Amino acid sequence: MMKSLDLTQGFETTTSAPTVALQGASRHIWSCDGIEFVRDDFPLDGASCLFVRAHPSAGGDEFRIFLGGKHLLRRCGGVGGWLLEPEAQDKAVFWLPRLPALRTLDGFGRITAEADATLTDFVMNDSGASAAYRLPDEQSLDFVVWRLQPSAEHSADMEFCTASTLERKPFFIYASHSATRSAADFYSHLVHGKVYGACWAWPKKLKICDELDALSLHMIACALGHSTGKRLYRLLRRQIVLALLARQEADGSFRHGEWTDEYESHNRLINGALQLLASEFEIAPEPAIADALKRIANFISTQVDQTAAGPWFLHDSLEQSEEGMRHYPLNWERGQWLGKSTTNLLILNTHLDCMLALARHGTVCDDTTYAALFKSAEGSLRTVMSARPAEWLFRRLLSIIKLSLLPKAEQARLPLGARALKRFGWKYVIPRWHLIRRRFPRLAMPDGYIERSLGQADFVHRYHGVHLMDFERLLACPGVDAKDPQWTAISDGLVHFGVTSRVPLLWKESEASKDSLAFWAEGLYRRCLRTNADSDHALLADAVLHLHDAGLGLPPSLLGGNGEILPPHLVTPTPSATDERLWVINLGNRDEASLLVVNTATTALTIAFERGPDSGVSLPEQTIAARSWALLRALSAPTARTIGSTANIAPSNPFLTPPQPQ
């Protein structure tokens, strides 16, 4: 027995009021005969996207999808997926970013299993195209397709079948620690209208909804939209916004259940939703987004533990009670340092991130409601980061621990005495690190190292790059002195420890920690924006080479499309290098163009850019040595010098070569 669906009906079905409505974008959700539909409509762009989920209850053990009319099936060599192009040029084209998938979901909507659907029949003829798939018991079949009306400005060839080298670059996704390599890869995350992480989250091996991944995708879509002019990226950006607004709960929160069946919420993910919507609000201000921002900010403001030093933001909802912490998946230490609650793990990165989220809301929405809370939270941060008990003890212990942070080859070459100390460190010091810090509470360590938490029973060097990123974000935050000696000293110390310990090389060697390189690179990127120092440019270029070697992509902020860093009117497009081995980092804005170009190849390469929107820089022909870099700046007089390599150049259109069909 087979159940069939005519896609035309799915696109033309009228429903009651939309679940979410924005200017020029709306979401409709309905179900019929065991089939669930989510449709995003963009009438001003002549586009709609239809998500289909067929349950076994739809009837039968097969599910057939049908599209009437004669179409040509074409693989999209540019952005991925497949096109169904009609015989008549004035008819809509259909883009299939991914083939149908089978999924098993639990009662919270978390994905517990996933596999490609099995094709049982495929027909294309003059009357239409159809494909049939097996529909096993206990699994649902998910399918997504776009319908786009033809446009002289945005042809199917230009939108889908060609791509710049920049579009084909890997871009790092924050929470999944994975990378996208095409527009079609967005649908590894966009599942039946929600944004999921693309990894099986520890410890339950589930795929959960994840607003930090949504933030990454939104930034990529913003940056590639600026750089290519394609409407596809504008549509993807708006679809991600619809997905978040539809998932937000009445109290402004988002829930995740990453760790437990308590379906706990994680505040750093919720902060990602606020940052995303704040960026969207600056691009397209409208009441629905303003209301969502207000509710998120109000929720975040309640996620605090009042300590003797001031408010401290919690990491997740489990920390709110002893009952919640009984479900915590990691070993943790009770403690009441500075009058904190015993369940407050004093996690640094989430406290900083919540502060920054509230500050961003205040800036974008011109709302001072949480200004006093921000200043109080900054005060508690100062108190915590100033604590330095038993300096002599920690200096000696950390010098021993640092031996375990060297690259494996260097560890193997240590002299016998140093190897004995290293063994003592990983066997006795690191397992007792949390006990020592319980006796002498502190997060800031000698030599610039910073621990993530006071309550978690572990040693977590993987967050070193996150700390650099977050303290640089703090230094760029309105209301914070960019020259504050305490915060600049912390940033300097984090860089010092990263360089002298050589821990980035250890991250690079390990599947479990190589994602740390991406946060390290983003921290250095933000530091370059603040210091404009050649030494920081060199460290950033080195980090980009590590990312390339580790098979990771560029953090999306490095494309210059992060709204927390630059408002929309100052964003300048990132040009696409003609040679894919050149990685381009956008350090500039509309007032001052600046590009860091890194040669990841083992041979010298000449800088040249494909034709595209004006980024504000051009250059004479210049060669970058193997595994080196060039800094291109728009200044009045062209000069050049070499450290990695730095060139100053006058502004004009830099794109010299049109993109070639792929």
Side-chain angles (χ1 to χ4, degrees):
M1 184 177 176
M2 180 180 294
K3 181 77 175 180
S4 296
L5 170 68
D6 185 338
L7 284 179
T8 301
Q9 293 180 1
F11 280 107
E12 296 179 356
T13 295
T14 57
T15 66
S16 56
T19 304
V20 180
L22 298 173
Q23 296 174 16
S26 61
R27 168 162 289 193
H28 299 263
I29 301 174
W30 74 99
S31 60
C32 181
D33 296 332
I35 305 173
E36 297 178 3
F37 299 89
V38 177
R39 191 182 69 226
D40 295 333
D41 294 329
F42 307 91
L44 299 181
D45 287 288
S48 293
C49 179
L50 183 68
F51 296 93
V52 178
R53 172 167 286 166
H55 298 286
S57 60
D61 55 6
E62 285 191 323
F63 184 71
R64 181 177 293 276
I65 304 164
F66 174 75
L67 178 64
K70 186 176 181 181
H71 291 82
L72 173 69
L73 181 64
R74 183 177 179 186
R75 186 69 184 262
C76 299
V79 300
W82 294 263
L83 270 187
L84 282 167
E85 294 183 289
E87 188 174 40
Q89 293 186 355
D90 61 340
K91 300 294 184 181
V93 300
F94 295 83
W95 180 48
L96 287 65
R98 295 184 69 85
L99 294 175
L102 294 173
R103 293 189 174 95
T104 305
L105 296 96
D106 66 12
F108 297 111
R110 300 174 299 189
I111 299 170
T112 62
E114 189 175 58
D116 293 336
T118 300
L119 180 69
T120 59
D121 183 48
F122 180 75
V123 176
M124 283 197 74
N125 53 37
D126 290 352
S127 62
S130 69
Y133 294 89
R134 286 184 58 197
L135 188 57
D137 292 339
E138 308 300 325
Q139 290 186 296
S140 299
L141 184 139
D142 285 343
F143 179 70
V144 58
V145 58
W146 278 86
R147 182 177 71 174
L148 299 103
Q149 298 297 333
S151 165
E153 184 181 356
H154 302 286
S155 69
D157 274 348
M158 188 273 281
E159 289 278 324
F160 298 100
C161 300
T162 63
S164 64
T165 59
L166 186 66
E167 289 177 85
R168 299 194 303 273
K169 280 279 189 293
F171 297 113
F172 182 75
I173 304 298
Y174 286 138
S176 293
H177 303 161
S178 58
T180 63
R181 288 174 170 80
S182 68
D185 281 352
F186 278 48
Y187 292 89
S188 297
H189 298 267
L190 278 158
V191 175
H192 200 60
K194 297 179 180 179
V195 181
Y196 282 79
C199 65
W200 298 99
W202 178 90
K204 290 183 172 292
K205 305 299 182 185
L206 303 168
K207 288 191 176 182
I208 64 164
C209 290
D210 195 312
E211 291 75 44
L212 269 182
D213 278 12
L215 174 62
S216 305
L217 296 171
H218 187 267
M219 285 196 287
I220 295 166
C222 285
L224 292 181
H226 279 295
S227 295
T228 67
K230 290 185 177 182
R231 72 169 169 175
L232 174 61
Y233 295 112
R234 181 174 67 251
L235 293 170
L236 289 172
R237 190 196 90 219
R238 294 290 273 177
Q239 182 170 64
I240 292 164
V241 173
L242 290 174
L244 257 66
L245 294 177
R247 205 178 95 76
Q248 186 181 25
E249 299 197 8
D251 65 356
S253 71
F254 298 80
R255 302 190 73 81
H256 309 99
E258 179 179 5
W259 292 344
T260 75
D261 289 339
E262 300 302 301
Y263 202 41
E264 82 285 348
S265 61
H266 291 257
N267 290 329
R268 183 135 196 169
L269 275 61
I270 296 172
N271 297 339
L274 189 149
Q275 293 287 357
L276 186 161
L277 294 175
S279 294
E280 186 66 24
F281 186 76
E282 289 194 296
I283 298 169
E286 47 190 301
I289 299 177
D291 176 68
L293 284 167
K294 181 178 180 180
R295 288 187 289 128
I296 298 174
N298 182 66
F299 177 81
I300 292 170
S301 73
T302 67
Q303 304 303 295
V304 297
D305 176 37
Q306 290 295 338
T307 75
W312 190 272
F313 288 99
L314 301 176
H315 177 267
D316 58 73
S317 57
L318 297 179
E319 283 183 280
Q320 293 176 338
S321 68
E322 288 277 354
E323 174 61 29
M325 291 303 287
R326 291 191 186 100
H327 302 278
Y328 197 72
L330 295 167
N331 294 327
W332 60 284
E333 290 289 326
R334 288 173 171 81
Q336 293 181 299
W337 183 52
L338 296 177
K340 75 177 187 65
S341 68
T342 56
T343 58
N344 176 3
L345 301 180
L346 211 79
I347 294 178
L348 174 62
N349 66 297
T350 308
H351 177 72
L352 271 163
D353 197 53
C354 288
M355 287 173 55
L356 293 162
L358 287 181
R360 182 86 193 281
H361 167 263
T363 299
V364 170
C365 297
D366 193 22
D367 184 353
T368 61
T369 302
Y370 308 107
L373 177 57
F374 176 90
K375 294 308 293 184
S376 296
E378 187 184 6
S380 59
L381 179 66
R382 286 189 190 279
T383 300
V384 169
M385 299 309 294
S386 297
R388 306 286 176 104
E391 181 76 5
W392 63 271
L393 174 62
F394 281 101
R395 187 168 298 280
R396 284 161 176 77
L397 293 179
L398 197 63
S399 67
I400 295 171
I401 290 175
K402 283 176 72 173
L403 296 172
S404 295
L405 302 184
L406 292 169
K408 296 298 184 183
E410 292 188 30
Q411 291 185 31
R413 292 196 298 268
L414 289 172
L416 183 60
R419 289 206 303 273
L421 276 177
K422 180 176 74 72
R423 178 180 176 83
F424 175 76
W426 65 255
K427 191 170 183 179
Y428 297 105
V429 177
I430 291 176
R432 291 166 176 80
W433 184 245
H434 63 288
L435 300 176
I436 299 167
R437 291 192 303 114
R438 182 175 67 182
R439 174 66 180 84
F440 303 105
R442 61 187 290 175
L443 294 182
M445 297 292 158
D447 213 21
Y449 179 69
I450 294 177
E451 262 297 349
R452 183 197 183 204
S453 166
L454 192 66
Q456 287 184 328
D458 51 15
F459 171 79
V460 192
H461 62 80
R462 291 181 59 246
Y463 278 82
H464 192 75
V466 175
H467 295 331
L468 177 62
M469 176 182 75
D470 285 343
F471 274 103
E472 283 295 335
R473 291 172 66 203
L474 181 66
L475 282 163
C477 183
V480 174
D481 181 2
K483 297 182 180 180
D484 186 300
Q486 184 172 8
W487 306 144
T488 56
I490 285 175
S491 176
D492 292 345
L494 287 163
V495 171
H496 171 79
F497 185 87
V499 172
T500 59
S501 69
R502 298 173 61 76
V503 70
L505 295 177
L506 180 68
W507 296 335
K508 185 176 174 180
E509 295 174 343
S510 169
E511 278 296 321
S513 60
K514 68 179 183 180
D515 57 278
S516 305
L517 292 169
F519 299 109
W520 175 246
E522 174 141 349
L524 291 168
Y525 171 79
R526 291 171 180 265
R527 186 175 163 91
C528 285
L529 295 176
R530 178 173 63 87
T531 68
N532 198 25
D534 285 337
S535 58
D536 288 327
H537 292 137
L539 288 173
L540 175 57
D542 192 50
V544 169
L545 290 173
H546 290 330
L547 286 170
H548 170 269
D549 297 345
L552 294 176
L554 282 177
S557 292
L558 276 62
L559 292 178
N562 186 339
E564 185 186 28
I565 298 173
L566 277 181
H569 69 278
L570 287 180
V571 173
T572 185
T574 302
S576 180
T578 56
D579 194 309
E580 63 183 11
R581 295 170 294 178
L582 293 175
W583 285 28
V584 181
I585 293 88
N586 191 341
L587 290 163
N589 55 55
R590 286 291 181 188
D591 296 331
E592 185 178 358
S594 179
L595 303 173
L596 182 73
V597 184
V598 181
N599 179 4
T600 64
T602 55
T603 59
L605 297 176
T606 300
I607 301 176
F609 294 123
E610 297 173 335
R611 191 173 304 281
D614 187 4
S615 75
V617 297
S618 69
L619 69 162
E621 185 171 298
Q622 181 180 347
T623 298
I624 310 180
R627 308 283 291 182
S628 189
W629 54 277
L631 183 64
L632 312 178
R633 286 186 175 130
L635 296 176
S636 56
T639 62
R641 60 191 179 89
T642 300
I643 37 181
S645 175
T646 304
N648 297 326
I649 49 185
S652 68
N653 194 319
F655 298 90
L656 309 176
T657 309
Q660 300 300 312
Q662 303 300 315

